[in-house]
Amino acid sequence: MFQLFRNGAPRTRASLVAETGQSRSTVAARIDALRSVGLLAPAGEATSTGGRPPSTFAFDPGSRIALGVDLGATHARIAVTDLAAEPLAQVDEPLAIADGPDRVLTWVAETGKKLVTQAGRHMDELAGVGIGLPGPVDHGTGRPVNPPIMPGWGGADVPAELYARLGAPVMVDNDVNIMALGEHRTMTPEADDLLFVKVATGIGAGVIMDGHLRRGAQGAAGDLGHVTVPGAGDIPCRCGNSGCLEAVAGGAAIVTRLRDSGAAVETTQDIVDLVRSGDVAAGQAVRQAGRDIGSVLAASVSLLNPARIVVGGILAGAGEHLMAGIREVVYQRSLPLATRDLRITPSEAGAQAGVVGAATLVIEQYLAPSSVDTLIAAKEVS
Ligand SMILES: [Zn+2]
Protein backbone atom coordinates (compact mmCIF):
# COMPACT_ATOMS: atom_id res chain seq x y z
CA MET A 1 0.00 0.00 0.00
CA PHE A 2 2.85 2.38 0.84
CA GLN A 3 4.05 2.28 -2.78
CA LEU A 4 0.87 4.20 -3.78
CA PHE A 5 2.13 7.13 -1.72
CA ARG A 6 5.54 7.31 -3.43
CA ASN A 7 4.43 9.92 -5.99
CA GLY A 8 3.72 12.29 -3.09
CA ALA A 9 -0.05 12.65 -3.55
CA PRO A 10 -2.07 12.60 -0.28
CA ARG A 11 -4.78 9.96 0.12
CA THR A 12 -7.76 9.32 2.37
CA ARG A 13 -8.65 5.99 4.02
CA ALA A 14 -11.66 5.69 1.68
CA SER A 15 -9.57 6.27 -1.47
CA LEU A 16 -7.09 3.60 -0.29
CA VAL A 17 -9.92 1.12 0.28
CA ALA A 18 -11.06 1.78 -3.29
CA GLU A 19 -7.54 1.58 -4.77
CA THR A 20 -6.34 -1.53 -2.94
CA GLY A 21 -9.57 -3.49 -2.56
CA GLN A 22 -8.62 -4.13 1.10
CA SER A 23 -11.08 -3.79 3.96
CA ARG A 24 -11.40 -0.53 5.86
CA SER A 25 -9.89 -2.07 8.99
CA THR A 26 -6.86 -3.50 7.08
CA VAL A 27 -6.21 -0.09 5.52
CA ALA A 28 -6.53 1.67 8.88
CA ALA A 29 -4.09 -0.78 10.51
CA ARG A 30 -1.58 -0.36 7.68
CA ILE A 31 -1.76 3.44 7.93
CA ASP A 32 -1.08 3.21 11.68
CA ALA A 33 1.89 0.89 11.04
CA LEU A 34 3.36 3.19 8.38
CA ARG A 35 2.90 6.19 10.69
CA SER A 36 4.65 4.36 13.52
CA VAL A 37 7.81 4.00 11.41
CA GLY A 38 7.58 7.62 10.23
CA LEU A 39 6.90 6.95 6.55
CA LEU A 40 3.39 8.48 6.53
CA ALA A 41 2.22 11.71 8.12
CA PRO A 42 -1.17 13.45 8.33
CA ALA A 43 -1.62 15.83 5.39
CA GLY A 44 -4.66 17.84 6.42
CA GLU A 45 -8.27 17.27 5.48
CA ALA A 46 -9.77 16.48 2.11
CA THR A 47 -12.68 18.56 0.80
CA SER A 48 -15.94 17.03 1.94
CA THR A 49 -19.22 16.60 0.13
CA GLY A 50 -21.00 16.96 3.46
CA GLY A 51 -20.36 15.89 7.02
CA ARG A 52 -16.96 15.74 8.68
CA PRO A 53 -14.11 16.07 6.11
CA PRO A 54 -11.93 12.91 5.93
CA SER A 55 -8.25 13.04 7.06
CA THR A 56 -5.57 12.59 4.41
CA PHE A 57 -2.13 11.03 4.71
CA ALA A 58 1.02 11.49 2.65
CA PHE A 59 4.55 10.12 2.33
CA ASP A 60 6.86 11.94 4.78
CA PRO A 61 10.26 12.18 3.03
CA GLY A 62 11.75 13.91 6.07
CA SER A 63 11.60 10.87 8.34
CA ARG A 64 15.07 9.57 7.37
CA ILE A 65 18.13 10.79 5.47
CA ALA A 66 20.49 9.30 2.87
CA LEU A 67 24.07 10.10 1.94
CA GLY A 68 24.91 10.33 -1.78
CA VAL A 69 28.60 10.27 -2.74
CA ASP A 70 29.98 10.92 -6.24
CA LEU A 71 33.72 10.33 -6.54
CA GLY A 72 35.52 11.39 -9.71
CA ALA A 73 39.19 11.12 -10.64
CA THR A 74 40.04 14.49 -9.05
CA HIS A 75 36.92 15.71 -7.27
CA ALA A 76 34.27 14.52 -4.84
CA ARG A 77 30.71 15.65 -4.24
CA ILE A 78 28.70 14.51 -1.22
CA ALA A 79 25.10 15.34 -0.35
CA VAL A 80 22.78 14.57 2.56
CA THR A 81 19.27 14.15 1.19
CA ASP A 82 15.80 13.39 2.49
CA LEU A 83 13.89 10.32 1.26
CA ALA A 84 12.74 12.26 -1.82
CA ALA A 85 16.47 12.63 -2.79
CA GLU A 86 16.21 16.38 -2.16
CA PRO A 87 19.65 17.65 -0.99
CA LEU A 88 19.66 19.14 2.53
CA ALA A 89 23.41 19.93 2.64
CA GLN A 90 26.29 19.23 0.29
CA VAL A 91 29.95 19.85 -0.55
CA ASP A 92 32.01 19.70 -3.74
CA GLU A 93 35.76 19.51 -3.18
CA PRO A 94 38.95 18.50 -5.00
CA LEU A 95 39.96 14.96 -4.01
CA ALA A 96 42.39 12.59 -5.72
CA ILE A 97 40.94 9.09 -6.06
CA ALA A 98 44.57 7.97 -6.52
CA ASP A 99 45.14 8.65 -2.78
CA GLY A 100 43.70 5.13 -2.31
CA PRO A 101 40.66 3.68 -0.51
CA ASP A 102 41.83 4.22 3.08
CA ARG A 103 42.39 7.97 2.85
CA VAL A 104 39.51 8.64 0.46
CA LEU A 105 36.89 6.63 2.40
CA THR A 106 38.01 8.17 5.71
CA TRP A 107 37.50 11.61 4.15
CA VAL A 108 34.10 10.54 2.81
CA ALA A 109 32.99 9.32 6.26
CA GLU A 110 34.23 12.41 8.13
CA THR A 111 32.75 14.80 5.58
CA GLY A 112 29.47 12.86 5.54
CA LYS A 113 29.15 13.12 9.34
CA LYS A 114 29.83 16.88 9.22
CA LEU A 115 27.15 17.33 6.54
CA VAL A 116 24.59 15.39 8.58
CA THR A 117 25.21 17.74 11.51
CA GLN A 118 25.11 20.76 9.20
CA ALA A 119 21.68 19.61 7.93
CA GLY A 120 20.50 19.51 11.57
CA ARG A 121 20.07 15.72 11.49
CA HIS A 122 21.56 12.74 13.37
CA MET A 123 23.56 9.72 12.24
CA ASP A 124 20.93 7.32 13.62
CA GLU A 125 18.51 8.71 11.02
CA LEU A 126 20.76 7.57 8.17
CA ALA A 127 18.97 5.03 5.94
CA GLY A 128 22.15 4.25 4.01
CA VAL A 129 25.05 5.46 1.89
CA GLY A 130 25.16 5.33 -1.93
CA ILE A 131 28.52 5.82 -3.59
CA GLY A 132 29.58 6.09 -7.23
CA LEU A 133 33.17 5.28 -8.24
CA PRO A 134 34.96 6.26 -11.47
CA GLY A 135 35.60 2.68 -12.60
CA PRO A 136 34.03 -0.76 -13.08
CA VAL A 137 32.28 -2.12 -9.97
CA ASP A 138 31.20 -5.74 -9.43
CA HIS A 139 27.55 -5.25 -8.60
CA GLY A 140 27.30 -8.35 -6.40
CA THR A 141 30.12 -7.40 -4.01
CA GLY A 142 30.42 -3.62 -4.44
CA ARG A 143 34.14 -4.03 -5.11
CA PRO A 144 35.97 -2.19 -7.93
CA VAL A 145 37.39 -4.55 -10.60
CA ASN A 146 40.69 -3.54 -12.30
CA PRO A 147 39.77 0.16 -12.21
CA PRO A 148 42.23 1.87 -14.62
CA ILE A 149 42.32 5.31 -12.97
CA MET A 150 42.00 4.14 -9.33
CA PRO A 151 45.38 2.79 -8.20
CA GLY A 152 45.10 0.71 -5.00
CA TRP A 153 41.31 0.24 -5.28
CA GLY A 154 41.20 -3.10 -7.13
CA GLY A 155 39.12 -5.53 -5.03
CA ALA A 156 38.75 -3.04 -2.12
CA ASP A 157 35.78 -3.93 0.11
CA VAL A 158 34.17 -0.49 -0.14
CA PRO A 159 30.83 -1.52 1.50
CA ALA A 160 32.57 -3.00 4.56
CA GLU A 161 35.06 -0.11 4.87
CA LEU A 162 32.32 2.53 4.82
CA TYR A 163 29.98 0.50 7.02
CA ALA A 164 32.75 0.34 9.64
CA ARG A 165 33.06 4.13 9.55
CA LEU A 166 29.38 5.15 9.25
CA GLY A 167 27.33 2.24 10.61
CA ALA A 168 24.74 2.26 7.80
CA PRO A 169 24.15 0.00 4.76
CA VAL A 170 26.33 0.94 1.75
CA MET A 171 25.57 0.55 -1.96
CA VAL A 172 28.34 0.95 -4.53
CA ASP A 173 28.02 1.49 -8.28
CA ASN A 174 29.99 3.09 -11.07
CA ASP A 175 29.68 6.83 -11.59
CA VAL A 176 27.87 6.62 -14.94
CA ASN A 177 25.13 4.37 -13.50
CA ILE A 178 24.41 6.76 -10.63
CA MET A 179 24.37 9.71 -13.07
CA ALA A 180 21.89 7.84 -15.29
CA LEU A 181 19.66 7.12 -12.29
CA GLY A 182 19.85 10.72 -11.00
CA GLU A 183 19.08 12.17 -14.42
CA HIS A 184 16.19 9.77 -14.99
CA ARG A 185 14.48 10.17 -11.62
CA THR A 186 14.77 13.98 -11.44
CA MET A 187 14.55 15.17 -15.03
CA THR A 188 12.98 12.53 -17.27
CA PRO A 189 10.94 10.09 -15.13
CA GLU A 190 8.46 9.77 -18.02
CA ALA A 191 11.11 8.21 -20.32
CA ASP A 192 11.11 4.54 -19.26
CA ASP A 193 13.88 3.63 -21.71
CA LEU A 194 16.86 5.94 -21.54
CA LEU A 195 20.56 5.83 -22.35
CA PHE A 196 22.78 8.20 -20.39
CA VAL A 197 26.15 8.79 -22.06
CA LYS A 198 28.97 10.38 -20.11
CA VAL A 199 31.55 12.05 -22.33
CA ALA A 200 34.57 13.24 -20.37
CA THR A 201 38.19 12.09 -20.35
CA GLY A 202 36.67 8.62 -20.77
CA ILE A 203 33.32 7.57 -22.23
CA GLY A 204 30.66 5.33 -20.68
CA ALA A 205 26.91 4.81 -20.59
CA GLY A 206 24.19 3.96 -18.07
CA VAL A 207 21.20 1.97 -19.29
CA ILE A 208 17.67 2.52 -17.93
CA MET A 209 15.11 0.06 -19.31
CA ASP A 210 11.47 -0.19 -18.15
CA GLY A 211 12.38 2.48 -15.57
CA HIS A 212 15.11 0.34 -13.96
CA LEU A 213 18.87 0.65 -14.05
CA ARG A 214 20.23 -2.34 -16.00
CA ARG A 215 23.71 -3.44 -15.04
CA GLY A 216 24.01 -6.74 -16.90
CA ALA A 217 25.32 -9.99 -15.42
CA GLN A 218 28.37 -8.55 -13.63
CA GLY A 219 27.67 -4.82 -13.67
CA ALA A 220 29.60 -4.09 -16.86
CA ALA A 221 26.63 -3.09 -19.04
CA GLY A 222 27.04 0.28 -20.75
CA ASP A 223 30.81 0.22 -21.17
CA LEU A 224 30.65 1.94 -24.56
CA GLY A 225 34.15 3.39 -24.31
CA HIS A 226 35.77 0.19 -25.52
CA VAL A 227 33.51 -0.57 -28.45
CA THR A 228 35.44 -0.32 -31.74
CA VAL A 229 34.60 2.69 -33.90
CA PRO A 230 34.01 1.60 -37.51
CA GLY A 231 36.95 2.78 -39.66
CA ALA A 232 38.93 4.17 -36.71
CA GLY A 233 42.11 2.32 -37.68
CA ASP A 234 44.79 1.31 -35.21
CA ILE A 235 44.73 4.12 -32.62
CA PRO A 236 45.91 2.29 -29.46
CA CYS A 237 43.66 2.27 -26.37
CA ARG A 238 44.72 1.94 -22.71
CA CYS A 239 42.69 -1.28 -22.55
CA GLY A 240 45.14 -2.99 -24.94
CA ASN A 241 42.87 -3.01 -28.00
CA SER A 242 42.88 -0.40 -30.74
CA GLY A 243 40.25 1.83 -32.33
CA CYS A 244 38.13 2.00 -29.15
CA LEU A 245 35.59 4.84 -28.92
CA GLU A 246 37.39 6.30 -25.89
CA ALA A 247 40.76 6.30 -27.72
CA VAL A 248 39.16 8.06 -30.69
CA ALA A 249 36.60 10.45 -29.15
CA GLY A 250 37.37 10.75 -25.40
CA GLY A 251 38.62 14.03 -23.93
CA ALA A 252 42.21 12.76 -23.74
CA ALA A 253 42.14 11.82 -27.44
CA ILE A 254 40.83 15.26 -28.45
CA VAL A 255 43.46 16.99 -26.27
CA THR A 256 46.23 15.05 -28.06
CA ARG A 257 44.83 15.89 -31.51
CA LEU A 258 44.46 19.62 -30.77
CA ARG A 259 47.91 19.77 -29.19
CA ASP A 260 49.46 18.16 -32.27
CA SER A 261 47.99 20.99 -34.32
CA GLY A 262 49.49 23.59 -31.97
CA ALA A 263 46.66 24.42 -29.52
CA ALA A 264 47.53 25.04 -25.85
CA VAL A 265 45.23 22.49 -24.18
CA GLU A 266 45.93 20.18 -21.23
CA THR A 267 42.57 18.96 -19.95
CA THR A 268 39.09 18.13 -21.18
CA GLN A 269 37.87 21.37 -19.58
CA ASP A 270 40.42 23.29 -21.73
CA ILE A 271 38.74 21.85 -24.84
CA VAL A 272 35.35 23.06 -23.61
CA ASP A 273 36.76 26.54 -22.91
CA LEU A 274 38.39 26.67 -26.36
CA VAL A 275 35.15 25.65 -28.12
CA ARG A 276 33.18 28.23 -26.13
CA SER A 277 35.69 30.94 -27.14
CA GLY A 278 34.77 30.22 -30.75
CA ASP A 279 37.89 28.29 -31.82
CA VAL A 280 37.02 26.66 -35.15
CA ALA A 281 39.48 23.74 -35.00
CA ALA A 282 38.34 22.80 -31.48
CA GLY A 283 34.69 23.02 -32.54
CA GLN A 284 35.36 20.73 -35.50
CA ALA A 285 37.29 18.23 -33.35
CA VAL A 286 34.40 18.03 -30.86
CA ARG A 287 31.86 17.67 -33.66
CA GLN A 288 33.88 14.79 -35.14
CA ALA A 289 34.03 13.18 -31.67
CA GLY A 290 30.24 13.50 -31.62
CA ARG A 291 30.00 11.66 -34.94
CA ASP A 292 32.26 8.86 -33.65
CA ILE A 293 30.15 8.55 -30.49
CA GLY A 294 27.05 8.57 -32.72
CA SER A 295 28.37 5.67 -34.79
CA VAL A 296 28.60 3.49 -31.67
CA LEU A 297 25.32 4.82 -30.25
CA ALA A 298 23.50 3.97 -33.50
CA ALA A 299 24.16 0.29 -32.77
CA SER A 300 22.85 0.75 -29.20
CA VAL A 301 19.72 2.43 -30.57
CA SER A 302 19.08 -0.54 -32.86
CA LEU A 303 19.62 -2.95 -29.98
CA LEU A 304 17.68 -1.17 -27.21
CA ASN A 305 15.29 1.32 -28.87
CA PRO A 306 15.60 4.02 -26.15
CA ALA A 307 13.11 6.91 -26.09
CA ARG A 308 15.79 9.29 -24.90
CA ILE A 309 19.58 9.63 -25.12
CA VAL A 310 20.95 12.08 -22.55
CA VAL A 311 24.53 13.29 -22.94
CA GLY A 312 26.43 14.38 -19.81
CA GLY A 313 30.03 14.68 -18.63
CA ILE A 314 32.46 17.60 -18.97
CA LEU A 315 32.55 17.52 -22.78
CA ALA A 316 28.77 17.94 -22.93
CA GLY A 317 29.56 21.49 -21.75
CA ALA A 318 31.00 22.17 -25.23
CA GLY A 319 27.40 22.64 -26.33
CA GLU A 320 25.87 22.12 -29.73
CA HIS A 321 29.00 20.86 -31.54
CA LEU A 322 29.00 17.56 -29.66
CA MET A 323 25.22 17.13 -29.78
CA ALA A 324 25.07 17.94 -33.51
CA GLY A 325 27.73 15.34 -34.33
CA ILE A 326 25.93 12.66 -32.31
CA ARG A 327 22.49 13.46 -33.78
CA GLU A 328 23.85 13.56 -37.33
CA VAL A 329 25.10 9.98 -37.25
CA VAL A 330 22.47 8.37 -34.97
CA TYR A 331 19.54 9.61 -37.09
CA GLN A 332 21.34 8.67 -40.31
CA ARG A 333 22.36 5.16 -39.27
CA SER A 334 19.33 3.94 -37.27
CA LEU A 335 16.05 2.64 -38.64
CA PRO A 336 13.16 5.15 -38.86
CA LEU A 337 11.00 3.24 -36.37
CA ALA A 338 13.75 3.39 -33.71
CA THR A 339 14.34 7.13 -34.16
CA ARG A 340 10.76 8.27 -34.82
CA ASP A 341 10.29 9.53 -31.25
CA LEU A 342 13.93 9.42 -30.13
CA ARG A 343 15.17 12.62 -28.46
CA ILE A 344 18.90 13.28 -27.98
CA THR A 345 19.44 16.00 -25.39
CA PRO A 346 22.16 17.38 -23.10
CA SER A 347 21.95 16.47 -19.39
CA GLU A 348 19.74 18.80 -17.36
CA ALA A 349 20.72 17.50 -13.93
CA GLY A 350 24.37 18.31 -14.72
CA ALA A 351 26.83 17.93 -11.86
CA GLN A 352 23.98 17.10 -9.42
CA ALA A 353 23.04 13.90 -11.25
CA GLY A 354 25.67 11.78 -9.46
CA VAL A 355 24.89 12.56 -5.81
CA VAL A 356 21.14 12.48 -6.40
CA GLY A 357 21.46 9.12 -8.19
CA ALA A 358 23.68 7.69 -5.43
CA ALA A 359 21.15 8.74 -2.77
CA THR A 360 18.36 7.30 -4.95
CA LEU A 361 20.05 3.87 -4.93
CA VAL A 362 19.74 3.84 -1.14
CA ILE A 363 16.25 5.33 -0.99
CA GLU A 364 14.73 2.88 -3.48
CA GLN A 365 16.20 -0.01 -1.51
CA TYR A 366 15.00 1.45 1.81
CA LEU A 367 11.46 2.05 0.54
CA ALA A 368 11.06 -1.23 -1.38
CA PRO A 369 8.01 -3.27 -0.24
CA SER A 370 10.08 -5.98 1.50
CA SER A 371 12.20 -3.37 3.36
CA VAL A 372 9.10 -1.49 4.54
CA ASP A 373 7.60 -4.78 5.83
CA THR A 374 10.84 -5.54 7.70
CA LEU A 375 10.89 -2.04 9.18
CA ILE A 376 7.31 -2.40 10.45
CA ALA A 377 7.91 -5.91 11.82
CA ALA A 378 10.97 -4.66 13.73
CA LYS A 379 8.95 -1.76 15.17
CA GLU A 380 6.15 -4.09 16.30
CA VAL A 381 8.64 -6.35 18.12
CA SER A 382 10.36 -3.48 19.92
ZN1 LIG B 1 39.75 0.30 -25.19
Side-chain angles (χ1 to χ4, degrees), residues 167-180:
V170 178
M171 299 181 74
V172 191
D173 214 321
N174 77 60
D175 57 348
V176 191
N177 279 349
I178 60 165
M179 289 169 81

Side-chain angles (χ1 to χ4, degrees), residues 89-299:
Q90 67 174 26
V91 289
D92 186 6
E93 282 189 24
L95 177 81
I97 198 87
D99 283 350
D102 193 44
R103 282 180 63 179
V104 170
L105 295 177
T106 298
W107 180 86
V108 166
E110 282 168 10
T111 308
K113 284 178 191 166
K114 268 186 233 162
L115 281 174
V116 169
T117 307
Q118 202 179 311
R121 306 300 294 259
H122 299 281
M123 287 303 287
D124 58 9
E125 295 174 298
L126 189 61
V129 184
I131 178 167
L133 301 175
V137 172
D138 181 303
H139 183 62
T141 63
R143 295 171 188 247
V145 182
N146 300 324
I149 61 164
M150 300 170 63
W153 287 78
D157 194 349
V158 177
E161 294 284 330
L162 269 185
Y163 182 84
R165 290 166 171 85
L166 291 169
V170 178
M171 299 181 74
V172 191
D173 214 321
N174 77 60
D175 57 348
V176 191
N177 279 349
I178 60 165
M179 289 169 81
L181 195 61
E183 182 81 28
H184 180 258
R185 297 297 193 265
T186 55
M187 297 299 166
T188 56
E190 77 291 348
D192 273 351
D193 302 292
L194 172 146
L195 275 182
F196 182 94
V197 186
K198 180 189 177 189
V199 189
T201 305
I203 297 174
V207 182
I208 306 265
M209 288 281 128
D210 304 321
H212 297 284
L213 189 55
R214 300 296 182 201
R215 301 180 175 89
Q218 265 74 43
D223 206 346
L224 285 187
H226 302 281
V227 175
T228 308
V229 177
D234 55 1
I235 300 170
C237 179
R238 60 183 166 84
C239 75
N241 291 325
S242 57
C244 293
L245 180 59
E246 189 168 303
V248 175
I254 303 173
V255 163
T256 307
R257 211 168 306 139
L258 289 174
R259 255 209 208 135
D260 289 349
S261 59
V265 287
E266 298 273 336
T267 65
T268 307
Q269 185 59 48
D270 293 343
I271 304 171
V272 174
D273 295 342
L274 204 56
V275 171
R276 281 186 177 160
S277 76
D279 185 277
V280 174
Q284 283 171 349
V286 168
R287 191 171 181 121
Q288 183 54 45
R291 290 189 191 104
D292 293 329
I293 293 164
S295 70
V296 169
L297 278 178

